[in-house]
Amino acid sequence: MSDKDEIKKRLDEQARQIDKDLSENPGAAIEVDQELADHMGAFEEKAISLEDAEDASFDGDEDISGED
């Protein structure tokens, strides 16, 4: 088994244990490290899409002051 597979297996086991602990103790606060939290999907993706980036870009030669 590769190192990557071992890490995923360990993170899966830890995530299952946290799920079990929270099921047994609703509302409990359980501290987890960033790697495990990321594995569990705790962080929201904040990158913008290519389409949003293109919409936000402008040609520096254009007059953006609104004056003609």
Side-chain angles (χ1 to χ4, degrees):
M1 188 177 286
S2 73
D3 287 342
K4 189 174 182 178
D5 291 337
E6 285 291 329
I7 291 170
K8 184 180 181 321
K9 181 179 176 184
R10 177 182 52 84
L11 291 172
D12 286 343
E13 289 171 359
Q14 290 175 340
R16 280 192 296 276
Q17 183 62 47
I18 288 172
D19 184 52
K20 179 182 173 193
D21 292 346
L22 288 174
S23 294
E24 294 172 356
N25 302 299
I30 299 177
E31 187 173 334
V32 298
D33 64 29
Q34 185 172 353
E35 180 182 24
L36 179 57
D38 187 41
H39 178 74
M40 295 173 72
F43 300 105
E44 181 180 334
E45 179 62 51
K46 294 184 180 188
I48 63 172
S49 70
L50 177 59
E51 182 178 302
D52 290 340
E54 289 171 344
D55 289 345
S57 67
F58 64 92
D59 184 355
D61 292 336
E62 293 179 16
D63 181 8
I64 61 171
S65 68
E67 298 176 9
D68 289 318

Short mmCIF file of all heavy atoms in Angstrom, two decimals:
data_model
loop_
_atom_site.label_atom_id
_atom_site.label_comp_id
_atom_site.label_asym_id
_atom_site.label_seq_id
_atom_site.Cartn_x
_atom_site.Cartn_y
_atom_site.Cartn_z
N MET A 1 0.85 -1.17 0.00
CA MET A 1 0.00 0.00 0.00
C MET A 1 0.90 1.24 0.00
O MET A 1 1.87 1.32 0.75
CB MET A 1 -0.92 -0.03 1.23
CG MET A 1 -1.97 1.03 1.23
SD MET A 1 -3.12 0.94 2.63
CE MET A 1 -4.12 -0.47 2.18
N SER A 2 0.57 2.21 -0.82
CA SER A 2 1.39 3.42 -0.92
C SER A 2 1.20 4.32 0.30
O SER A 2 0.24 4.17 1.06
CB SER A 2 1.03 4.20 -2.18
OG SER A 2 -0.21 4.84 -2.03
N ASP A 3 2.13 5.25 0.48
CA ASP A 3 2.04 6.19 1.59
C ASP A 3 0.75 6.99 1.52
O ASP A 3 0.11 7.25 2.53
CB ASP A 3 3.24 7.14 1.59
CG ASP A 3 4.53 6.47 2.03
OD1 ASP A 3 4.47 5.39 2.65
OD2 ASP A 3 5.60 7.03 1.75
N LYS A 4 0.38 7.38 0.30
CA LYS A 4 -0.84 8.17 0.10
C LYS A 4 -2.07 7.37 0.55
O LYS A 4 -2.96 7.92 1.20
CB LYS A 4 -0.97 8.57 -1.37
CG LYS A 4 -2.07 9.54 -1.65
CD LYS A 4 -2.03 9.99 -3.10
CE LYS A 4 -3.10 11.00 -3.37
NZ LYS A 4 -3.09 11.50 -4.74
N ASP A 5 -2.10 6.08 0.22
CA ASP A 5 -3.21 5.22 0.64
C ASP A 5 -3.24 5.05 2.16
O ASP A 5 -4.31 5.04 2.77
CB ASP A 5 -3.12 3.85 -0.03
CG ASP A 5 -3.38 3.90 -1.53
OD1 ASP A 5 -4.04 4.85 -2.00
OD2 ASP A 5 -2.92 2.98 -2.24
N GLU A 6 -2.07 4.93 2.76
CA GLU A 6 -1.98 4.80 4.22
C GLU A 6 -2.50 6.05 4.91
O GLU A 6 -3.22 5.97 5.91
CB GLU A 6 -0.54 4.53 4.65
CG GLU A 6 -0.06 3.13 4.38
CD GLU A 6 -0.74 2.09 5.25
OE1 GLU A 6 -1.11 2.40 6.41
OE2 GLU A 6 -0.91 0.96 4.77
N ILE A 7 -2.13 7.21 4.38
CA ILE A 7 -2.58 8.48 4.97
C ILE A 7 -4.09 8.59 4.86
O ILE A 7 -4.78 8.95 5.82
CB ILE A 7 -1.87 9.67 4.29
CG1 ILE A 7 -0.39 9.66 4.66
CG2 ILE A 7 -2.53 10.98 4.68
CD1 ILE A 7 0.45 10.64 3.86
N LYS A 8 -4.64 8.26 3.67
CA LYS A 8 -6.09 8.32 3.47
C LYS A 8 -6.80 7.36 4.42
O LYS A 8 -7.81 7.72 5.04
CB LYS A 8 -6.46 8.01 2.03
CG LYS A 8 -7.96 8.16 1.77
CD LYS A 8 -8.30 7.86 0.35
CE LYS A 8 -9.75 8.00 0.02
NZ LYS A 8 -10.72 7.57 0.97
N LYS A 9 -6.26 6.18 4.58
CA LYS A 9 -6.85 5.19 5.49
C LYS A 9 -6.86 5.72 6.92
O LYS A 9 -7.86 5.62 7.63
CB LYS A 9 -6.08 3.88 5.42
CG LYS A 9 -6.63 2.79 6.30
CD LYS A 9 -5.83 1.51 6.17
CE LYS A 9 -6.32 0.47 7.14
NZ LYS A 9 -5.52 -0.75 7.11
N ARG A 10 -5.73 6.32 7.35
CA ARG A 10 -5.64 6.86 8.71
C ARG A 10 -6.65 8.00 8.90
O ARG A 10 -7.35 8.07 9.91
CB ARG A 10 -4.22 7.36 8.97
CG ARG A 10 -4.03 8.01 10.34
CD ARG A 10 -2.63 8.54 10.54
NE ARG A 10 -2.14 9.41 9.49
CZ ARG A 10 -2.38 10.72 9.42
NH1 ARG A 10 -3.12 11.31 10.33
NH2 ARG A 10 -1.88 11.44 8.44
N LEU A 11 -6.74 8.89 7.90
CA LEU A 11 -7.69 10.01 8.00
C LEU A 11 -9.13 9.51 8.01
O LEU A 11 -9.96 10.05 8.76
CB LEU A 11 -7.46 10.99 6.85
CG LEU A 11 -6.15 11.77 6.89
CD1 LEU A 11 -5.95 12.55 5.60
CD2 LEU A 11 -6.10 12.70 8.09
N ASP A 12 -9.44 8.51 7.21
CA ASP A 12 -10.78 7.93 7.20
C ASP A 12 -11.14 7.35 8.57
O ASP A 12 -12.25 7.55 9.08
CB ASP A 12 -10.91 6.84 6.14
CG ASP A 12 -10.98 7.38 4.72
OD1 ASP A 12 -11.27 8.59 4.54
OD2 ASP A 12 -10.75 6.58 3.79
N GLU A 13 -10.19 6.64 9.19
CA GLU A 13 -10.42 6.06 10.51
C GLU A 13 -10.66 7.15 11.55
O GLU A 13 -11.57 7.04 12.37
CB GLU A 13 -9.23 5.19 10.92
CG GLU A 13 -9.11 3.91 10.13
CD GLU A 13 -7.81 3.16 10.39
OE1 GLU A 13 -6.96 3.64 11.18
OE2 GLU A 13 -7.64 2.08 9.79
N GLN A 14 -9.85 8.20 11.50
CA GLN A 14 -10.02 9.30 12.45
C GLN A 14 -11.36 10.01 12.24
O GLN A 14 -12.03 10.36 13.21
CB GLN A 14 -8.87 10.30 12.31
CG GLN A 14 -7.54 9.75 12.81
CD GLN A 14 -6.39 10.72 12.54
OE1 GLN A 14 -6.48 11.61 11.70
NE2 GLN A 14 -5.30 10.53 13.27
N ALA A 15 -11.74 10.20 11.00
CA ALA A 15 -13.02 10.85 10.69
C ALA A 15 -14.19 10.01 11.20
O ALA A 15 -15.15 10.55 11.76
CB ALA A 15 -13.14 11.10 9.19
N ARG A 16 -14.12 8.70 11.02
CA ARG A 16 -15.18 7.82 11.53
C ARG A 16 -15.27 7.90 13.05
O ARG A 16 -16.37 7.92 13.62
CB ARG A 16 -14.95 6.38 11.08
CG ARG A 16 -15.40 6.10 9.65
CD ARG A 16 -15.43 4.62 9.33
NE ARG A 16 -14.11 4.01 9.38
CZ ARG A 16 -13.23 4.02 8.37
NH1 ARG A 16 -13.56 4.63 7.24
NH2 ARG A 16 -12.07 3.44 8.48
N GLN A 17 -14.11 7.97 13.73
CA GLN A 17 -14.12 8.05 15.18
C GLN A 17 -14.73 9.36 15.66
O GLN A 17 -15.51 9.39 16.60
CB GLN A 17 -12.70 7.90 15.74
CG GLN A 17 -12.64 7.90 17.26
CD GLN A 17 -13.41 6.75 17.88
OE1 GLN A 17 -13.27 5.60 17.45
NE2 GLN A 17 -14.23 7.04 18.87
N ILE A 18 -14.40 10.44 14.98
CA ILE A 18 -14.98 11.74 15.34
C ILE A 18 -16.49 11.71 15.12
O ILE A 18 -17.26 12.20 15.95
CB ILE A 18 -14.31 12.88 14.55
CG1 ILE A 18 -12.90 13.09 15.09
CG2 ILE A 18 -15.13 14.16 14.62
CD1 ILE A 18 -12.06 14.05 14.30
N ASP A 19 -16.94 11.14 14.01
CA ASP A 19 -18.37 11.02 13.74
C ASP A 19 -19.05 10.23 14.85
O ASP A 19 -20.12 10.62 15.34
CB ASP A 19 -18.59 10.36 12.38
CG ASP A 19 -20.05 10.30 12.00
OD1 ASP A 19 -20.74 11.35 12.05
OD2 ASP A 19 -20.53 9.20 11.66
N LYS A 20 -18.44 9.14 15.26
CA LYS A 20 -18.99 8.32 16.34
C LYS A 20 -19.05 9.11 17.64
O LYS A 20 -20.07 9.11 18.34
CB LYS A 20 -18.13 7.06 16.54
CG LYS A 20 -18.61 6.16 17.64
CD LYS A 20 -17.69 4.96 17.81
CE LYS A 20 -18.12 4.17 19.03
NZ LYS A 20 -17.13 3.20 19.43
N ASP A 21 -17.95 9.81 17.97
CA ASP A 21 -17.90 10.60 19.20
C ASP A 21 -18.98 11.69 19.21
O ASP A 21 -19.63 11.91 20.23
CB ASP A 21 -16.53 11.24 19.38
CG ASP A 21 -15.43 10.23 19.66
OD1 ASP A 21 -15.74 9.05 19.97
OD2 ASP A 21 -14.24 10.60 19.55
N LEU A 22 -19.16 12.35 18.08
CA LEU A 22 -20.18 13.40 18.00
C LEU A 22 -21.59 12.84 18.05
O LEU A 22 -22.50 13.48 18.58
CB LEU A 22 -19.98 14.24 16.74
CG LEU A 22 -18.76 15.16 16.74
CD1 LEU A 22 -18.58 15.82 15.38
CD2 LEU A 22 -18.88 16.22 17.83
N SER A 23 -21.78 11.63 17.52
CA SER A 23 -23.10 10.99 17.59
C SER A 23 -23.45 10.65 19.04
O SER A 23 -24.61 10.75 19.45
CB SER A 23 -23.12 9.72 16.75
OG SER A 23 -22.96 10.01 15.39
N GLU A 24 -22.43 10.24 19.79
CA GLU A 24 -22.64 9.88 21.20
C GLU A 24 -22.74 11.10 22.10
O GLU A 24 -23.32 11.03 23.18
CB GLU A 24 -21.51 8.97 21.67
CG GLU A 24 -21.50 7.62 20.99
CD GLU A 24 -20.27 6.79 21.31
OE1 GLU A 24 -19.36 7.28 22.02
OE2 GLU A 24 -20.23 5.63 20.84
N ASN A 25 -22.15 12.22 21.68
CA ASN A 25 -22.12 13.44 22.48
C ASN A 25 -22.49 14.65 21.62
O ASN A 25 -21.63 15.48 21.32
CB ASN A 25 -20.72 13.65 23.08
CG ASN A 25 -20.28 12.50 23.94
OD1 ASN A 25 -20.90 12.20 24.93
ND2 ASN A 25 -19.19 11.84 23.53
N PRO A 26 -23.76 14.77 21.24
CA PRO A 26 -24.16 15.89 20.38
C PRO A 26 -23.78 17.23 21.00
O PRO A 26 -23.94 17.43 22.20
CB PRO A 26 -25.68 15.75 20.28
CG PRO A 26 -25.97 14.34 20.65
CD PRO A 26 -24.88 13.93 21.60
N GLY A 27 -23.27 18.12 20.18
CA GLY A 27 -22.89 19.44 20.66
C GLY A 27 -21.51 19.52 21.26
O GLY A 27 -21.05 20.59 21.63
N ALA A 28 -20.82 18.39 21.35
CA ALA A 28 -19.47 18.39 21.90
C ALA A 28 -18.52 19.10 20.94
O ALA A 28 -18.72 19.09 19.73
CB ALA A 28 -18.99 16.96 22.14
N ALA A 29 -17.51 19.73 21.50
CA ALA A 29 -16.48 20.37 20.69
C ALA A 29 -15.28 19.45 20.63
O ALA A 29 -14.73 19.07 21.66
CB ALA A 29 -16.08 21.71 21.29
N ILE A 30 -14.91 19.07 19.42
CA ILE A 30 -13.77 18.16 19.24
C ILE A 30 -12.75 18.86 18.36
O ILE A 30 -13.06 19.26 17.23
CB ILE A 30 -14.20 16.83 18.61
CG1 ILE A 30 -15.19 16.12 19.52
CG2 ILE A 30 -12.98 15.96 18.32
CD1 ILE A 30 -15.74 14.84 18.97
N GLU A 31 -11.55 19.02 18.88
CA GLU A 31 -10.50 19.68 18.12
C GLU A 31 -9.86 18.68 17.16
O GLU A 31 -9.54 17.55 17.53
CB GLU A 31 -9.44 20.21 19.08
CG GLU A 31 -8.39 21.05 18.42
CD GLU A 31 -7.45 21.70 19.41
OE1 GLU A 31 -7.83 21.91 20.57
OE2 GLU A 31 -6.31 21.97 19.01
N VAL A 32 -9.70 19.12 15.92
CA VAL A 32 -9.02 18.29 14.92
C VAL A 32 -7.96 19.13 14.23
O VAL A 32 -8.07 20.35 14.16
CB VAL A 32 -10.00 17.71 13.86
CG1 VAL A 32 -11.02 16.81 14.50
CG2 VAL A 32 -10.69 18.80 13.08
N ASP A 33 -6.93 18.46 13.71
CA ASP A 33 -5.89 19.21 13.01
C ASP A 33 -6.39 19.59 11.61
O ASP A 33 -7.39 19.08 11.12
CB ASP A 33 -4.57 18.45 12.96
CG ASP A 33 -4.63 17.15 12.16
OD1 ASP A 33 -5.44 17.04 11.23
OD2 ASP A 33 -3.86 16.24 12.47
N GLN A 34 -5.68 20.52 10.98
CA GLN A 34 -6.12 21.05 9.69
C GLN A 34 -6.18 19.97 8.61
O GLN A 34 -7.09 19.96 7.80
CB GLN A 34 -5.19 22.17 9.25
CG GLN A 34 -5.67 22.83 7.98
CD GLN A 34 -4.90 24.08 7.62
OE1 GLN A 34 -4.08 24.55 8.38
NE2 GLN A 34 -5.16 24.61 6.45
N GLU A 35 -5.24 19.04 8.62
CA GLU A 35 -5.23 17.98 7.61
C GLU A 35 -6.50 17.14 7.69
O GLU A 35 -7.13 16.84 6.67
CB GLU A 35 -3.99 17.11 7.79
CG GLU A 35 -3.89 15.98 6.77
CD GLU A 35 -2.68 15.08 6.97
OE1 GLU A 35 -2.16 15.01 8.10
OE2 GLU A 35 -2.28 14.44 5.99
N LEU A 36 -6.90 16.77 8.90
CA LEU A 36 -8.10 15.96 9.07
C LEU A 36 -9.35 16.78 8.74
O LEU A 36 -10.26 16.28 8.08
CB LEU A 36 -8.19 15.40 10.50
CG LEU A 36 -9.40 14.55 10.81
CD1 LEU A 36 -9.53 13.37 9.85
CD2 LEU A 36 -9.37 14.08 12.26
N ALA A 37 -9.38 18.02 9.18
CA ALA A 37 -10.54 18.87 8.88
C ALA A 37 -10.71 19.05 7.38
O ALA A 37 -11.82 18.99 6.86
CB ALA A 37 -10.38 20.22 9.57
N ASP A 38 -9.60 19.24 6.67
CA ASP A 38 -9.65 19.37 5.22
C ASP A 38 -10.16 18.08 4.59
O ASP A 38 -11.01 18.11 3.69
CB ASP A 38 -8.27 19.73 4.68
CG ASP A 38 -8.28 20.04 3.20
OD1 ASP A 38 -9.22 20.72 2.74
OD2 ASP A 38 -7.34 19.62 2.50
N HIS A 39 -9.68 16.95 5.07
CA HIS A 39 -10.11 15.64 4.58
C HIS A 39 -11.62 15.46 4.78
O HIS A 39 -12.30 14.86 3.94
CB HIS A 39 -9.34 14.53 5.29
CG HIS A 39 -9.73 13.15 4.91
ND1 HIS A 39 -9.38 12.60 3.69
CD2 HIS A 39 -10.46 12.20 5.55
CE1 HIS A 39 -9.87 11.36 3.62
NE2 HIS A 39 -10.53 11.11 4.73
N MET A 40 -12.13 16.01 5.87
CA MET A 40 -13.55 15.88 6.20
C MET A 40 -14.41 16.92 5.47
O MET A 40 -15.63 16.91 5.61
CB MET A 40 -13.74 15.98 7.71
CG MET A 40 -13.09 14.84 8.47
SD MET A 40 -13.15 15.06 10.25
CE MET A 40 -14.89 14.76 10.56
N GLY A 41 -13.77 17.83 4.72
CA GLY A 41 -14.52 18.80 3.94
C GLY A 41 -14.91 20.05 4.72
O GLY A 41 -15.89 20.71 4.39
N ALA A 42 -14.12 20.40 5.72
CA ALA A 42 -14.47 21.53 6.58
C ALA A 42 -14.18 22.89 5.95
O ALA A 42 -14.72 23.88 6.40
CB ALA A 42 -13.71 21.42 7.90
N PHE A 43 -13.36 22.94 4.93
CA PHE A 43 -12.97 24.22 4.36
C PHE A 43 -13.68 24.46 3.05
O PHE A 43 -13.72 23.61 2.17
CB PHE A 43 -11.45 24.29 4.16
CG PHE A 43 -10.70 24.12 5.45
CD1 PHE A 43 -10.05 22.93 5.74
CD2 PHE A 43 -10.69 25.13 6.38
CE1 PHE A 43 -9.37 22.77 6.93
CE2 PHE A 43 -10.02 24.98 7.58
CZ PHE A 43 -9.36 23.80 7.86
N GLU A 44 -14.24 25.67 2.92
CA GLU A 44 -14.95 26.05 1.71
C GLU A 44 -13.96 26.55 0.67
O GLU A 44 -13.04 27.30 0.98
CB GLU A 44 -15.93 27.17 2.05
CG GLU A 44 -16.74 27.65 0.89
CD GLU A 44 -17.69 28.77 1.30
OE1 GLU A 44 -18.07 28.85 2.46
OE2 GLU A 44 -18.03 29.56 0.41
N GLU A 45 -14.15 26.11 -0.55
CA GLU A 45 -13.29 26.56 -1.65
C GLU A 45 -13.56 28.03 -1.91
O GLU A 45 -14.71 28.44 -2.07
CB GLU A 45 -13.58 25.75 -2.92
CG GLU A 45 -12.77 26.15 -4.11
CD GLU A 45 -11.29 25.97 -3.91
OE1 GLU A 45 -10.88 24.88 -3.51
OE2 GLU A 45 -10.55 26.93 -4.15
N LYS A 46 -12.51 28.84 -1.92
CA LYS A 46 -12.68 30.27 -2.09
C LYS A 46 -12.13 30.79 -3.42
O LYS A 46 -12.16 31.98 -3.68
CB LYS A 46 -12.00 31.01 -0.94
CG LYS A 46 -12.67 30.73 0.38
CD LYS A 46 -12.07 31.53 1.48
CE LYS A 46 -12.81 31.17 2.76
NZ LYS A 46 -12.47 31.99 3.85
N ALA A 47 -11.64 29.91 -4.25
CA ALA A 47 -11.10 30.34 -5.55
C ALA A 47 -12.25 30.75 -6.46
O ALA A 47 -13.35 30.21 -6.39
CB ALA A 47 -10.31 29.20 -6.18
N ILE A 48 -11.98 31.71 -7.31
CA ILE A 48 -13.01 32.11 -8.27
C ILE A 48 -12.86 31.27 -9.53
O ILE A 48 -11.80 30.75 -9.82
CB ILE A 48 -12.93 33.62 -8.59
CG1 ILE A 48 -11.61 33.99 -9.26
CG2 ILE A 48 -13.16 34.45 -7.35
CD1 ILE A 48 -11.57 35.43 -9.77
N SER A 49 -13.95 31.18 -10.24
CA SER A 49 -13.93 30.40 -11.47
C SER A 49 -13.23 31.19 -12.57
O SER A 49 -13.08 32.42 -12.49
CB SER A 49 -15.36 30.08 -11.91
OG SER A 49 -16.01 31.26 -12.35
N LEU A 50 -12.83 30.50 -13.61
CA LEU A 50 -12.22 31.15 -14.77
C LEU A 50 -13.18 32.16 -15.36
O LEU A 50 -12.78 33.28 -15.72
CB LEU A 50 -11.81 30.11 -15.81
CG LEU A 50 -11.21 30.66 -17.10
CD1 LEU A 50 -9.95 31.47 -16.81
CD2 LEU A 50 -10.89 29.53 -18.06
N GLU A 51 -14.44 31.81 -15.43
CA GLU A 51 -15.44 32.73 -15.99
C GLU A 51 -15.54 34.00 -15.14
O GLU A 51 -15.59 35.11 -15.68
CB GLU A 51 -16.80 32.03 -16.04
CG GLU A 51 -17.90 32.89 -16.66
CD GLU A 51 -19.22 32.16 -16.74
OE1 GLU A 51 -19.27 31.10 -17.37
OE2 GLU A 51 -20.19 32.67 -16.14
N ASP A 52 -15.53 33.87 -13.82
CA ASP A 52 -15.58 35.06 -12.95
C ASP A 52 -14.33 35.91 -13.14
O ASP A 52 -14.41 37.15 -13.14
CB ASP A 52 -15.71 34.65 -11.48
CG ASP A 52 -17.08 34.08 -11.15
OD1 ASP A 52 -18.04 34.31 -11.91
OD2 ASP A 52 -17.17 33.38 -10.11
N ALA A 53 -13.18 35.27 -13.28
CA ALA A 53 -11.94 36.01 -13.48
C ALA A 53 -11.96 36.78 -14.80
O ALA A 53 -11.54 37.94 -14.86
CB ALA A 53 -10.75 35.06 -13.45
N GLU A 54 -12.48 36.15 -15.84
CA GLU A 54 -12.56 36.82 -17.13
C GLU A 54 -13.55 37.99 -17.08
O GLU A 54 -13.29 39.05 -17.64
CB GLU A 54 -12.97 35.83 -18.23
CG GLU A 54 -11.87 34.84 -18.57
CD GLU A 54 -12.33 33.73 -19.48
OE1 GLU A 54 -13.55 33.52 -19.64
OE2 GLU A 54 -11.45 33.06 -20.05
N ASP A 55 -14.66 37.80 -16.37
CA ASP A 55 -15.64 38.88 -16.23
C ASP A 55 -15.06 40.06 -15.46
O ASP A 55 -15.39 41.21 -15.71
CB ASP A 55 -16.90 38.39 -15.52
CG ASP A 55 -17.74 37.46 -16.38
OD1 ASP A 55 -17.50 37.41 -17.61
OD2 ASP A 55 -18.62 36.77 -15.82
N ALA A 56 -14.19 39.78 -14.50
CA ALA A 56 -13.62 40.83 -13.66
C ALA A 56 -12.45 41.55 -14.33
O ALA A 56 -12.06 42.63 -13.90
CB ALA A 56 -13.16 40.22 -12.34
N SER A 57 -11.89 40.96 -15.36
CA SER A 57 -10.74 41.58 -16.03
C SER A 57 -11.21 42.65 -16.99
O SER A 57 -12.36 42.67 -17.43
CB SER A 57 -9.92 40.53 -16.77
OG SER A 57 -10.65 40.01 -17.85
N PHE A 58 -10.32 43.58 -17.29
CA PHE A 58 -10.65 44.62 -18.25
C PHE A 58 -9.38 44.98 -19.01
O PHE A 58 -8.27 44.75 -18.56
CB PHE A 58 -11.25 45.85 -17.58
CG PHE A 58 -10.29 46.53 -16.63
CD1 PHE A 58 -9.47 47.56 -17.07
CD2 PHE A 58 -10.21 46.13 -15.31
CE1 PHE A 58 -8.60 48.19 -16.19
CE2 PHE A 58 -9.33 46.76 -14.43
CZ PHE A 58 -8.52 47.78 -14.87
N ASP A 59 -9.56 45.57 -20.15
CA ASP A 59 -8.46 46.02 -20.99
C ASP A 59 -7.97 47.36 -20.44
O ASP A 59 -8.72 48.31 -20.32
CB ASP A 59 -8.94 46.18 -22.44
CG ASP A 59 -7.83 46.56 -23.39
OD1 ASP A 59 -6.70 46.80 -22.92
OD2 ASP A 59 -8.08 46.60 -24.61
N GLY A 60 -6.70 47.45 -20.08
CA GLY A 60 -6.14 48.65 -19.49
C GLY A 60 -6.22 49.87 -20.39
O GLY A 60 -6.10 51.00 -19.91
N ASP A 61 -6.47 49.69 -21.68
CA ASP A 61 -6.56 50.81 -22.62
C ASP A 61 -7.96 51.43 -22.61
O ASP A 61 -8.16 52.51 -23.13
CB ASP A 61 -6.23 50.37 -24.03
CG ASP A 61 -4.77 49.98 -24.17
OD1 ASP A 61 -3.95 50.46 -23.36
OD2 ASP A 61 -4.45 49.20 -25.09
N GLU A 62 -8.92 50.74 -22.01
CA GLU A 62 -10.29 51.25 -22.00
C GLU A 62 -10.41 52.36 -20.98
O GLU A 62 -9.77 52.37 -19.95
CB GLU A 62 -11.28 50.13 -21.64
CG GLU A 62 -11.38 49.06 -22.69
CD GLU A 62 -12.36 47.96 -22.26
OE1 GLU A 62 -13.16 48.19 -21.34
OE2 GLU A 62 -12.30 46.88 -22.86
N ASP A 63 -11.29 53.32 -21.26
CA ASP A 63 -11.58 54.39 -20.33
C ASP A 63 -12.64 53.89 -19.37
O ASP A 63 -13.80 53.68 -19.74
CB ASP A 63 -12.09 55.62 -21.10
CG ASP A 63 -12.39 56.80 -20.19
OD1 ASP A 63 -12.07 56.72 -18.98
OD2 ASP A 63 -12.95 57.78 -20.69
N ILE A 64 -12.27 53.67 -18.12
CA ILE A 64 -13.22 53.13 -17.14
C ILE A 64 -13.85 54.23 -16.30
O ILE A 64 -14.63 53.97 -15.40
CB ILE A 64 -12.54 52.09 -16.20
CG1 ILE A 64 -11.40 52.73 -15.42
CG2 ILE A 64 -12.09 50.89 -17.00
CD1 ILE A 64 -10.84 51.83 -14.33
N SER A 65 -13.57 55.50 -16.60
CA SER A 65 -14.12 56.61 -15.83
C SER A 65 -15.58 56.87 -16.17
O SER A 65 -16.27 57.57 -15.44
CB SER A 65 -13.30 57.88 -16.07
OG SER A 65 -13.48 58.32 -17.42
N GLY A 66 -16.04 56.32 -17.25
CA GLY A 66 -17.41 56.55 -17.66
C GLY A 66 -17.57 57.78 -18.53
O GLY A 66 -18.65 58.09 -18.99
N GLU A 67 -16.48 58.51 -18.72
CA GLU A 67 -16.53 59.71 -19.55
C GLU A 67 -16.19 59.34 -21.00
O GLU A 67 -15.37 58.49 -21.25
CB GLU A 67 -15.52 60.75 -19.05
CG GLU A 67 -15.79 61.21 -17.65
CD GLU A 67 -14.72 62.15 -17.15
OE1 GLU A 67 -13.86 62.58 -17.95
OE2 GLU A 67 -14.72 62.45 -15.94
N ASP A 68 -16.83 60.01 -21.93
CA ASP A 68 -16.56 59.76 -23.35
C ASP A 68 -15.62 60.76 -23.92
O ASP A 68 -15.43 61.84 -23.59
CB ASP A 68 -17.86 59.77 -24.16
CG ASP A 68 -18.69 58.53 -23.84
OD1 ASP A 68 -18.09 57.44 -23.75
OD2 ASP A 68 -19.92 58.65 -23.70
#
